[in-house]
Amino acid sequence: MDSVFGVVGGGFAVVAAGTSAAGRSVVFINPDNDRVTSLGSKLLLGVSGVPGDCLRLRDEVRASTSKIHSAAAAADVARGAVIGCAQSANAVIAGYDKAEGPTMYAVGGTAPPERVEQYRTAGCGAGLCTAVMENHYRPGMTVKEAVALVDRCIKEVRRLGLASFVIMVVDKDGAREYTRRILRPKAVIEIKSSQGTPIVSTNN
């Protein structure tokens, strides 16, 4: 259940990305899995897609950080990574520039990076969340309002299955983690000891 959301607000940008365990498994491993990360003091990268491709895309862009000085440059590197080794991955890249303010780009497939002026959704929950963004986004939102909008999207994604997210913000003060929305399944797991005796463990 991989999803990535981006929102451009008044003087900042928010990127949230997350994933969940597949199917009906009660085992929830690495709920955030670094799906959104800082590329530098004022750049963020959020990814969605097949786990292996997400990691390849993230690592490829990270390896080129010495050549990246803007969101546009990072988007070009990400597009090359998608074409070369991470075909199923999507990326939302946000940055802050003193002259331009917040900037955001969407990357996916072989198309050139797309400049995002308001918001972007990608991944499994994109269809549901695009409608949420259309109905509730407005220019000049505060960070708190933008995060509340992202939380609406997370709520929609969770209708499809468990999902945990990391939300990051970039503005004139830099790129930083804002909050985590970690959801773990409440389940009773039966584990057999070495003697074959069932041990019941509650996972909260």
Side-chain angles (χ1 to χ4, degrees), residues 117-132:
E117 300 295 340
Q118 297 181 337
Y119 57 82
R120 178 53 54 100
T121 67
C124 294
L128 290 171
C129 297
T130 297
V132 172

Side-chain angles (χ1 to χ4, degrees), residues 7 15 31 46 49 77 80-81 87 90 92 106 111-112 129 131 143 145 154 165 172 181 186 195 199 202:
V7 179
V15 178
V77 172
Q87 286 86 358
N90 299 286
V92 172
C129 297
V143 172
E145 290 169 337
I154 292 173
F165 284 81
K172 63 181 178 59
R181 302 294 192 232
K186 292 182 179 179
Q195 287 79 30
I199 301 173
T202 303

Side-chain angles (χ1 to χ4, degrees), residues 23-182:
R24 297 179 178 273
S25 173
V26 297
V27 180
F28 204 91
I29 302 172
N30 295 329
D32 57 28
N33 201 28
D34 289 328
R35 295 303 172 95
V36 59
T37 186
S38 172
L39 296 176
S41 62
K42 293 185 179 180
L43 280 173
L44 297 175
L45 168 70
V47 296
S48 70
V50 173
D53 281 357
C54 284
L55 295 177
R56 281 190 286 271
L57 173 57
R58 182 200 64 187
D59 292 346
E60 188 84 11
V61 177
R62 277 180 174 174
S64 303
T65 51
S66 61
K67 301 182 292 183
I68 295 173
H69 304 289
S70 67
D76 286 334
V77 172
R79 184 199 181 203
V82 169
I83 292 173
C85 65
Q87 286 86 358
S88 79
N90 299 286
V92 172
I93 297 166
Y96 185 88
D97 178 83
K98 187 175 181 181
E100 287 193 84
T103 55
M104 184 174 289
Y105 289 85
V107 178
T110 59
E114 179 184 351
R115 176 74 178 259
V116 177
E117 300 295 340
Q118 297 181 337
Y119 57 82
R120 178 53 54 100
T121 67
C124 294
L128 290 171
C129 297
T130 297
V132 172
M133 293 287 193
E134 288 175 351
N135 290 330
H136 298 283
Y137 175 86
R138 63 178 180 77
M141 299 178 84
T142 65
V143 172
K144 186 176 180 180
E145 290 169 337
V147 170
L149 179 55
V150 166
D151 280 334
R152 286 178 178 267
C153 292
I154 292 173
K155 184 177 179 180
E156 290 298 315
V157 170
R158 285 177 175 171
R159 289 171 54 192
L160 304 177
L162 293 167
S164 290
F165 284 81
V166 175
I167 302 173
M168 299 188 73
V169 175
V170 61
D171 58 16
K172 63 181 178 59
D173 296 321
R176 59 197 180 278
E177 182 177 309
Y178 184 86
T179 189
R180 291 175 180 254
R181 302 294 192 232
I182 304 301

